[in-house]
Amino acid sequence: INTAVVTISGTGIALNTPVQVINVAPSYKQLVKVGTDKAILAFENGSNINLYCVSVSGTVPSYGSLATIASASKPMFAPNSTDKCQIAYIGSSGWYSAVVTTSGSTITVQAGVQINYDTNYSYRYIMMFQITTDTFMFWTHWGTVQYQSRNRYRAGLITVSGTNTTL
């Protein structure tokens, strides 16, 4: 995995020199902007999700320390505010969501809250959208949001208070 800064000037675009994050070829990766010159990169690495803070100085990206969500896959981000975003991912028994914060180049992932009981583990028809700061909609075509058996819903409202996630 490499990241690079793209510079736009008028109608021209230039790709600056890529910098390698890690020597893996994951099947799934996501990047979300969390500040003027900062983003969070998440990708599958074996049976875990690895997260790095990507900071840019001039045209050169650099990386902070590694954060890991164990036994998880298919990271999906929604931006929230400066130094904060919301992640959804597949965990042990369905989809979970958590707040991800950065302080400098260090990432902290809060404890995940189960938001979906999708046993098919499909991610192609799963979406998470920011509605306002600290408010998100999670949608799935499987219709298993919030309840494990009866009264299934296709969408749920995720709210954040500080670093706590609630469905």
Side-chain angles (χ1 to χ4, degrees):
I1 296 178
N2 297 290
T3 63
V5 175
V6 175
T7 304
I8 301 170
S9 178
T11 59
I13 187 167
L15 176 66
N16 293 293
T17 305
V19 177
Q20 185 177 30
V21 182
I22 188 170
N23 187 16
V24 296
S27 60
Y28 199 82
K29 50 197 161 290
Q30 289 279 297
L31 181 76
V32 65
K33 182 179 177 193
V34 293
T36 302
D37 291 323
K38 192 187 295 188
I40 297 174
L41 171 68
F43 57 91
E44 293 179 354
N45 190 2
S47 62
N48 301 319
I49 295 173
N50 286 359
L51 298 101
Y52 286 95
C53 181
V54 181
S55 299
V56 175
S57 178
T59 60
V60 180
S62 62
Y63 309 101
S65 55
L66 169 68
T68 301
I69 303 173
S71 301
S73 64
K74 308 297 183 272
M76 178 187 309
F77 281 128
N80 196 354
S81 61
T82 301
D83 295 331
K84 187 166 128 178
C85 68
Q86 195 70 17
I87 190 170
Y89 59 91
I90 295 174
S92 61
S93 57
W95 282 84
Y96 292 77
S97 187
V99 175
V100 178
T101 58
T102 63
S103 177
S105 61
T106 302
I107 293 178
T108 303
V109 181
Q110 304 303 319
V113 172
Q114 188 163 9
I115 58 174
N116 175 285
Y117 297 90
D118 180 5
T119 57
N120 293 310
Y121 296 118
S122 174
Y123 63 92
R124 291 180 181 90
Y125 305 108
I126 305 284
M127 291 178 262
M128 185 169 59
F129 300 101
Q130 182 185 36
I131 298 170
T132 63
T133 300
D134 292 335
T135 307
F136 306 88
M137 182 189 76
F138 180 82
W139 181 88
T140 174
H141 79 289
W142 292 107
T144 57
V145 174
Q146 197 168 13
Y147 295 101
Q148 193 166 7
S149 57
R150 296 179 42 205
N151 301 321
R152 295 178 181 182
Y153 297 105
R154 291 182 184 253
L157 187 67
I158 296 171
T159 56
V160 173
S161 177
T163 57
N164 296 315
T165 299
T166 305
L167 178 66

